[in-house]
């Protein structure tokens, strides 16, 4: 994977990659170290226990969070396919608006994408069963991780800590010097959307399974901050930085020489406007299937195409997102024409976009890994009057 692809992955705040970088690579290690230092003020023994709890809790949660949800989703998809239905069909198509819908797509694509149309027809015939299967998929892929992370895991960690506390107390006498329309929406949630839902359930579980009232308050403060900083703040930072620099295109596009060549030569084909009529007229024209607009709209999830380049009629198109994508490219073309030197403009755009992505990762990671724990510790001090983890007060001797 080249540098542009790496930047593209970690800069896409609608995917899981920035979460992986922030969560596993930066946030968790820093939080473990900060948890130890915070609790060490009153007791090194409690600091060890608190850091141990944080390590077990955070990395076990990350494993389920980042791996469990996709795995359960794939197993559910396998079951749905066994029932003769394709889980790729988007239930929003039953809305049948002016430009897309189950009936419209069946008629429009019956000759150019017959296999996909068969999937649409099967779902149309078995709509109620399909809705139940997708609802079950959503519930399983979120409720199982919530049950484990919110209720089972904390109990296991608490039990492990209780056993460790007992061992430490015993060792103290022996060795004093110890150190150390919901179905339609939910069925089409992205992996990140499901993570957000799971995080909410996980937060409720953690708060309700806390060992005492102070720990419940402490966890509620932490989990609320984590959800905001993981799922809301990075997108707001991205919007702000993009507006400041005027660069919105992905690094992969800015590194594509053929794409840039068409921009420079004014030969890049785009929908006439961002109006739905113009967008669908363009993306459903077979003559446009090899254009850069279709290529990158597909790559970045604005549309989905079949192997032959035809738009997948089973997928619902977010017209606003596709229109914004079209406008971003159009603005880049206009700005390039207004520049005195095209190559310098492109180079400056690459630098700005790279700086935007890295600034976002660093800033959001700082807020998650340092600012939030510091705020949590201050909140804990006010509420409990102590620096020690509220759930481990019984370990202080």
């Amino acid at each position: 994977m080249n540098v542009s692809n790496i930047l593209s992955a970690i800069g896409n705040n609608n995917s899981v990659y920035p979460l992986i970088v922030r969560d596993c690579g930066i946030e968790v290690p820093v939080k473990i170290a900060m948890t130890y230092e915070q609790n060490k003020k009153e007791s090194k023994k409690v600091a060890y226990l608190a850091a141990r709890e944080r390590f077990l809790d955070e990395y076990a949660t990350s494993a389920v969070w980042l791996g469990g949800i996709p795995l359960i989703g794939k197993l559910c998809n396998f079951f749905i396919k066994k029932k003769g239905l394709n889980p790729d069909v988007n239930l929003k198509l039953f809305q049948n608006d002016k430009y897309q819908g189950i009936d419209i797509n069946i008629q429009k694509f019956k000759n150019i994408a017959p296999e996909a149309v068969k999937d649409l027809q099967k779902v149309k015939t078995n709509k109620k069963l399909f809705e139940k299967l997708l609802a079950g998929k959503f519930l399983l892929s979120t409720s199982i991780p919530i049950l484990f992370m919110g209720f089972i895991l904390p109990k296991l960690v608490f039990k492990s800590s209780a056993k460790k506390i007992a061992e430490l107390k015993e060792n103290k006498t022996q060795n004093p010097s110890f150190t150390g329309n919901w179905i339609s929406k939910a069925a089409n949630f992205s992996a990140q959307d499901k993570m957000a839902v799971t995080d909410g359930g996980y937060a409720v579980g953690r708060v309700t399974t806390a060992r005492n009232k102070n720990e419940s308050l402490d966890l509620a403060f932490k989990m609320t901050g984590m959800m905001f900083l993981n799922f809301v703040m990075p997108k707001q930072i991205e919007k702000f930085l993009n507006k400041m620099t005027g660069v919105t295109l992905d690094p992969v596009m800015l590194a594509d020489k053929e794409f840039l060549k068409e921009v420079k030569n004014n030969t890049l084909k785009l929908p006439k406007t961002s109006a739905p009529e113009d967008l669908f007229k363009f993306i459903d024209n077979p003559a446009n299937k090899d254009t850069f607009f279709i290529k990158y709209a597909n790559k970045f999830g604005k549309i989905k195409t079949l192997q032959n380049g035809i738009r997948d009629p089973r997928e619902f198109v977010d017209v606003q997102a596709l229109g914004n994508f079209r406008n971003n490219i159009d603005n880049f073309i206009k700005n390039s024409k207004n520049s005195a030197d095209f190559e310098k403009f492109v180079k400056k755009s690459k630098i700005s976009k790279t700086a935007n992505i890295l600034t976002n990762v660093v800033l959001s990671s700082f807020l998650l890994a340092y600012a939030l724990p510091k705020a949590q510790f201050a909140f804990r001090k006010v509420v409990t009057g102590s620096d020690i983890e509220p759930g481990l007060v019984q370990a202080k001797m």
Side-chain angles (χ1 to χ4, degrees), residues 274-339:
S274 59
E277 182 179 359
D278 290 328
L279 291 174
F280 281 102
K281 184 178 180 180
F282 187 94
I283 63 177
D284 288 341
N285 184 347
N288 295 327
K289 64 185 180 69
D290 295 322
T291 61
F292 281 108
F293 181 78
I294 297 293
K295 173 185 175 181
Y296 283 118
N298 178 61
K299 179 177 177 61
F300 299 123
K302 312 303 178 184
I303 62 172
K304 184 178 179 181
T305 60
L306 302 171
Q307 289 186 344
N308 61 4
I310 299 297
R311 177 169 71 87
D312 190 339
R314 297 166 298 192
E315 288 291 326
F316 185 84
V317 179
D318 184 334
V319 177
Q320 183 176 354
L322 183 63
N324 289 339
F325 180 65
R326 180 259 172 212
N327 290 340
N328 288 340
I329 298 175
D330 189 49
N331 288 335
F332 178 79
I333 294 172
K334 291 176 179 176
N335 291 336
S336 70
K337 292 184 182 302
N338 293 330
S339 65

Side-chain angles (χ1 to χ4, degrees), residues 263-277:
V263 171
K264 185 177 182 180
N265 296 334
N266 200 30
T267 57
L268 188 74
K269 296 178 68 177
L270 287 177
K272 187 177 179 181
T273 70
S274 59
E277 182 179 359

Side-chain angles (χ1 to χ4, degrees), residues 25 37 47 52 115 174 205 241 245 250 258 283 288 294 318 340 342 358 366 395:
E37 289 299 318
R52 179 177 177 275
E115 292 303 314
Q174 299 172 1
L241 293 174
T245 61
D250 190 272
E258 292 302 315
I283 63 177
N288 295 327
I294 297 293
D318 184 334
F342 181 80
L358 295 179
F366 170 80

Side-chain angles (χ1 to χ4, degrees), residues 146 150-151 154-155 158 200-213 215-217 219-220 223:
I146 286 172
F151 296 89
K155 291 292 186 182
F158 296 162
Y202 156 52
V204 172
R206 287 304 172 90
V207 172
T208 57
T209 57
R211 288 164 286 195
N212 54 57
K213 180 181 178 181
E215 188 174 37
S216 291
L217 294 171
L219 287 169
M223 297 303 298

Side-chain angles (χ1 to χ4, degrees), residues 148-207:
F148 180 79
M149 295 190 299
F151 296 89
I152 297 175
L153 180 60
K155 291 292 186 182
L156 292 175
V157 172
F158 296 162
K159 185 176 181 181
S160 175
S161 290
K163 182 179 179 182
K164 208 69 176 173
I165 290 170
E167 290 175 1
L168 294 178
K169 287 181 177 179
E170 183 179 348
N171 288 341
K172 185 181 181 182
T173 61
Q174 299 172 1
N175 182 14
S177 62
F178 175 83
T179 58
N181 171 307
W182 79 268
I183 296 179
S184 177
K185 292 181 179 180
N188 297 290
F189 274 10
S190 65
Q192 194 192 52
D193 292 333
K194 290 177 182 176
M195 286 179 178
V197 172
T198 303
D199 244 19
Y202 156 52
V204 172
R206 287 304 172 90
V207 172

